[in-house]
Amino acid sequence: TMVTTPDWVKKAVFYQIFPDRFAIGQQQAIAVAQQPKLEPWEAPPTVQGYKGGNLWGVIEHLDYLQDSGITALYLTPIFQSACNHRYHTHDYYQVDPLLGGNEALQALLTQAHRREMKVVLDGVFNHASRGFYFFNDILENGPHSPWLDWFHIEDWPLSAYDGSLPANYRGWVDLRALPQFNHDHPDVREYLMRVGEYWIAQGIDGWRLDVPDCVKAEGFWQEFRCRVKAINPEAYIVGEIWCDASPWLAGDQFDGVMNYRFTEPTVAFAIGDRLQKEHLRGEEYRPYPALTAEAYGERISQLLQQHPWEIQLTQLNLLNSHDTARLLTLANGDRPSVNLALLLMFTFPGAPCVYYGDEVGLPGEADPDCRRVFPAKTDWDLDCWEFYRQLIALRHRYQCLQLGDYKIIATAGMGYVFQRQYGDETLMVAVNSGDNIIEIILSPDIINLDKIDIAEPVFSANGETVIDRNTAGLLLTMAPQSGAAFAII
Amino acid sequence: TMVTTPDWVKKAVFYQIFPDRFAIGQQQAIAVAQQPKLEPWEAPPTVQGYKGGNLWGVIEHLDYLQDSGITALYLTPIFQSACNHRYHTHDYYQVDPLLGGNEALQALLTQAHRREMKVVLDGVFNHASRGFYFFNDILENGPHSPWLDWFHIEDWPLSAYDGSLPANYRGWVDLRALPQFNHDHPDVREYLMRVGEYWIAQGIDGWRLDVPDCVKAEGFWQEFRCRVKAINPEAYIVGEIWCDASPWLAGDQFDGVMNYRFTEPTVAFAIGDRLQKEHLRGEEYRPYPALTAEAYGERISQLLQQHPWEIQLTQLNLLNSHDTARLLTLANGDRPSVNLALLLMFTFPGAPCVYYGDEVGLPGEADPDCRRVFPAKTDWDLDCWEFYRQLIALRHRYQCLQLGDYKIIATAGMGYVFQRQYGDETLMVAVNSGDNIIEIILSPDIINLDKIDIAEPVFSANGETVIDRNTAGLLLTMAPQSGAAFAII
């Protein structure tokens, strides 16, 4: 069967926003809760505190985002939740009051769409929260609750808040704050399907699905795709799957995943031994040990062969997120190596995704530090922002970066050269992530030497990359930690 | 200042519905939760179980109610709540999913209004529930919550579910299931005001306010009245106040209260020593000891002098509710004495309110037994229903019962005679709640003897009441436990 994915994603540049930390909009002043007790905006983030960012703040930054070249937003959860990251859903039909409520989302959708900007929301359908109505009823009524089958109750009494007693119900990764849905119950399934449909009908442009691999019910995501696409065939469905996502990427479930399988080798190659392992959490995400260009090429080739090409074009590529330390911090502040990782991402098939603040040089260790507030303008790294703007512009300028084939041309030590080709348009990208100058000779059988524009790269990062004709072909001389893209015309 | 109350209430006959127990409508089948675990409909009610009655069931009974003469519904709470009586509000903006959700309420309003029937909802604004978003956030985040000031937090940690530890927050009557709002916080006040406005704007015809005397914030109910009446000047605001409600009935707060102060003497007079005290709960409600007609008259006179007349006409008169044993059971099944209490209520100033099922003879001890399901037609007491229909028809036929002055004409032993007069229309009502025949002579200075229609009472209950002319005036002979109304023309 033919795999179809949304065309707009292939051309999109995403921006991931953690709404509590991005911006406090002024419109919020008319909301009901005018005096919430918030943490000081500038103080370091804590695990449980709220900063009070809201969707009005996102709206007020749309000009900035558009000016930067962003064409799509991915918001981490915005539904009513008694948790600052809002992965503990309290009500799937209400936008959190602190974020401005449903009214603010409608305003955001209107304003974003007016700019031809898309908005993707985070759907947390594996588990709910202790305050979620159907689970709360079980806490309140015990065995008398009508909703026992909606969750996995194992014994009585439940202990939702006292960790010294057994919870007696199943929570996601054994967290009692996150009671896991029983997706095998037809009412639960229908409930979640309707949530999926509802917000698409309300105008959102897609769903990022939280831990969808934990939902084991047969055909669940296939049905989800059918019902969502029936309302908007161009809706984007992207799963959070850290491991090999092949089972979900055959075309009948997701259009892509958060492409940590791209992140891992890219960071391992671009950051290499500069990576500060103490900022890593957990076992599933391994952006180390360092990779040579050859090893990197192998990993990338594997990844590109693993899923249908239509899916590759709509993967969500990222270098960090709310679930990881920021790359700048992982790289121990080494801007050049981060820039190379960015060049690799923006020239890779699939939609690049910028985590809010990265573009102005915001650092951050693992959660909660990676969720700092978006910095004041006076604290921006303006060179960094300019680098992003140019890279985003490059992505938009060349269709081959969005749609073109990916072909590795040469690898040597820490030198990595590939090309993207679409129709008559070809870009060659060369990256040297090592600390030494690298020379690579490109022979005529590798690349059409006549057509390459050797005069100027269309983009360059850090040090210089120079191309000279010699007898064997083209000699590529790459400065330490440099990258460049050349147009082949 | 002039006291103004809604005219429609003066002419209304209310019907109080406990939605979980009234009827399961068929429309519910399209709702999301198709397989809730419910208690068997016919089994005795339990404290925590759900029967699954819903608003579609109310809609399907509107013809029945209209046919019975009902013109207004008072529904006990219908907003999302993890409790079968729904006084533990989980979300003030959502009609409970089990009841059919907001869609079912809109359908009910449309269908009721099409019949010129009003719908009054129960507003529980003193306290919320443990699952209520703003309180739940405190349970989840402790001192980090933005909403600490919304409730009365006294110490940490909170213990919401473990009764062996101090709750450390204030609950209504010390119930930790019912965290009490801090009405002095402007955000809380505004939040509740907006709820009040919202549902009036959605088309409901009034609010019955739960324990409003517990809300101590200065000017709270005055503001509530202003804001509600600004949207619908004819909205009915009726408080649940069991004690002397004078402070709330000066015209600037409520249009009336649940008139237990009428219920008490009326039951004490009509039921008297037949009352089964073991079915009474608490101290605040005292429908005993038995009263003679004279003592009853004194209590009634006091009550009628206590509040402005405009308020008297819009009191909500009742003989029992979801908070008391049903009168039939309190009266040990003695239908005649219950009928006399009903006659007294339906001829009293203020809107009579029928508690669902009473009209077909449903018995019930104190909570939860007074919340049995509405019986199947085969179990109806058809004589009882006919009695109600005639009494309701009487109420509608005579404007003097709705609007007329109340004047006690005579009392003797257990014999009580009064008249209601409005313009040219006068009804005389005579009730003998005792077990002996009573003769009362009405002299010409008491009543205009020329105009009384001695031929036939316009309504009679139980035994016969006969009027004979004699030399002193009119001789009223009242059979034991009988009542009648005569038109004076």
Side-chain angles (χ1 to χ4, degrees), chain A residues 30-39 46-50 80-84 86 88 90-91 93-94 96-98 129-134 136-142 144-150 160-162 165 177 185-187 190-192 194, chain B residues 30-39 46-50 80-84 86 88 90-91 93-94 96-98 129-134 136-142 144-150 160-162 165 177 185-187 190-192 194:
Chain A
I30 66 160
V32 65
Q34 298 194 36
Q35 304 169 28
K37 282 200 177 293
L38 301 171
E39 284 186 352
T46 62
V47 172
Q48 290 192 286
Y50 292 81
Q80 190 164 291
S81 169
C83 186
N84 62 33
R86 302 194 169 90
H88 301 37
H90 183 274
D91 189 330
Y93 285 97
Q94 305 302 319
D96 196 281
L98 262 186
S129 76
R130 291 177 283 214
F132 177 62
Y133 168 68
F134 297 91
N136 183 246
D137 193 278
I138 303 176
L139 291 187
E140 294 288 327
N141 295 300
H144 295 276
S145 175
W147 317 112
L148 299 182
D149 293 343
W150 280 47
Y161 288 95
D162 182 353
L165 297 168
H185 190 292
D187 282 0
E190 182 62 20
Y191 180 86
L192 295 171
R194 290 196 193 183
Chain B
I30 65 160
V32 65
Q34 299 193 36
Q35 305 169 27
K37 281 200 177 293
L38 302 171
E39 284 186 352
T46 62
V47 172
Q48 289 192 287
Y50 292 82
Q80 189 166 293
S81 169
C83 185
N84 62 35
R86 302 194 169 90
H88 301 38
H90 184 275
D91 189 329
Y93 286 97
Q94 305 302 319
D96 197 281
L98 261 186
S129 76
R130 291 177 282 216
F132 178 62
Y133 167 69
F134 297 90
N136 182 245
D137 192 279
I138 304 176
L139 291 187
E140 295 288 327
N141 295 300
H144 295 277
S145 174
W147 317 113
L148 299 182
D149 292 344
W150 280 47
Y161 288 95
D162 181 354
L165 297 167
H185 191 293
D187 283 359
E190 182 63 20
Y191 179 86
L192 296 172
R194 289 195 193 183

Side-chain angles (χ1 to χ4, degrees), chain A residues 313-333:
Chain A
L313 295 178
T314 52
Q315 293 272 53
L316 191 67
N317 298 327
L318 72 169
L319 294 175
N320 49 217
S321 72
H322 64 294
D323 281 330
T324 66
R326 289 185 187 263
L327 191 56
L328 183 61
T329 298
L330 263 186
N332 202 18

Side-chain angles (χ1 to χ4, degrees), chain A residues 6-265:
Chain A
D7 280 334
W8 66 266
V9 177
K10 301 167 188 169
K11 303 168 189 173
V13 175
F14 271 85
Y15 191 79
Q16 179 187 350
I17 292 176
F18 190 90
D20 187 56
R21 307 293 157 75
F22 186 56
I24 300 178
Q26 295 314 305
Q27 182 80 13
Q28 185 74 354
I30 66 160
V32 65
Q34 298 194 36
Q35 304 169 28
K37 282 200 177 293
L38 301 171
E39 284 186 352
W41 184 256
E42 307 285 355
T46 62
V47 172
Q48 290 192 286
Y50 292 81
K51 297 290 187 186
N54 56 43
L55 299 188
W56 301 115
V58 176
I59 292 169
E60 292 170 15
H61 279 73
L62 288 177
D63 284 343
Y64 161 74
L65 295 170
Q66 190 174 25
D67 178 51
S68 302
I70 300 300
T71 65
L73 306 181
Y74 149 44
L75 307 181
T76 58
I78 64 169
F79 301 132
Q80 190 164 291
S81 169
C83 186
N84 62 33
H85 54 59
R86 302 194 169 90
Y87 282 95
H88 301 37
T89 314
H90 183 274
D91 189 330
Y92 288 90
Y93 285 97
Q94 305 302 319
V95 172
D96 196 281
L98 262 186
L99 294 179
N102 290 4
E103 182 195 355
L105 177 62
Q106 275 311 322
L108 172 60
L109 291 175
T110 301
Q111 292 296 331
H113 290 165
R114 202 168 279 170
R115 292 170 171 82
E116 296 186 32
M117 208 180 273
K118 306 286 188 179
V119 179
V120 170
L121 295 188
D122 207 320
V124 189
F125 299 140
N126 176 66
H127 46 262
S129 76
R130 291 177 283 214
F132 177 62
Y133 168 68
F134 297 91
F135 186 77
N136 183 246
D137 193 278
I138 303 176
L139 291 187
E140 294 288 327
N141 295 300
H144 295 276
S145 175
W147 317 112
L148 299 182
D149 293 343
W150 280 47
F151 297 91
H152 300 273
I153 308 300
E154 289 158 353
D155 204 352
W156 302 103
L158 306 189
S159 178
Y161 288 95
D162 182 353
S164 73
L165 297 168
N168 284 337
Y169 60 91
R170 204 180 299 166
W172 180 65
V173 298
D174 285 336
L175 291 174
R176 64 186 85 202
L178 299 174
Q180 185 144 5
F181 280 116
N182 173 15
H183 298 87
D184 289 323
H185 190 292
D187 282 0
V188 169
R189 185 171 175 136
E190 182 62 20
Y191 180 86
L192 295 171
M193 293 296 163
R194 290 196 193 183
V195 172
E197 290 173 326
Y198 178 79
W199 290 107
I200 295 288
Q202 291 292 306
I204 71 165
D205 300 290
W207 284 110
R208 178 269 190 190
L209 300 169
D210 189 56
V211 296
D213 48 336
C214 297
V215 178
K216 309 291 188 195
E218 182 76 19
F220 187 92
W221 295 120
Q222 284 87 343
E223 182 181 351
F224 186 86
R225 181 183 186 85
C226 286
R227 293 179 66 164
V228 159
K229 299 266 182 178
I231 295 171
N232 179 3
E234 286 291 297
Y236 182 38
I237 301 176
V238 55
E240 180 208 16
I241 291 183
W242 296 63
C243 59
D244 172 24
S246 300
W248 294 273
L249 294 180
D252 60 340
Q253 297 183 59
F254 308 151
D255 297 313
V257 292
M258 293 189 81
N259 204 359
Y260 289 107
R261 301 276 276 191
F262 162 77
T263 318
E264 285 171 327

Side-chain angles (χ1 to χ4, degrees), chain A residues 285-301:
Chain A
Y285 175 59
R286 297 175 169 280
Y288 71 100
L291 292 178
T292 62
E294 187 184 357
Y296 178 59
E298 276 168 23
R299 293 275 291 272
I300 288 299
S301 298

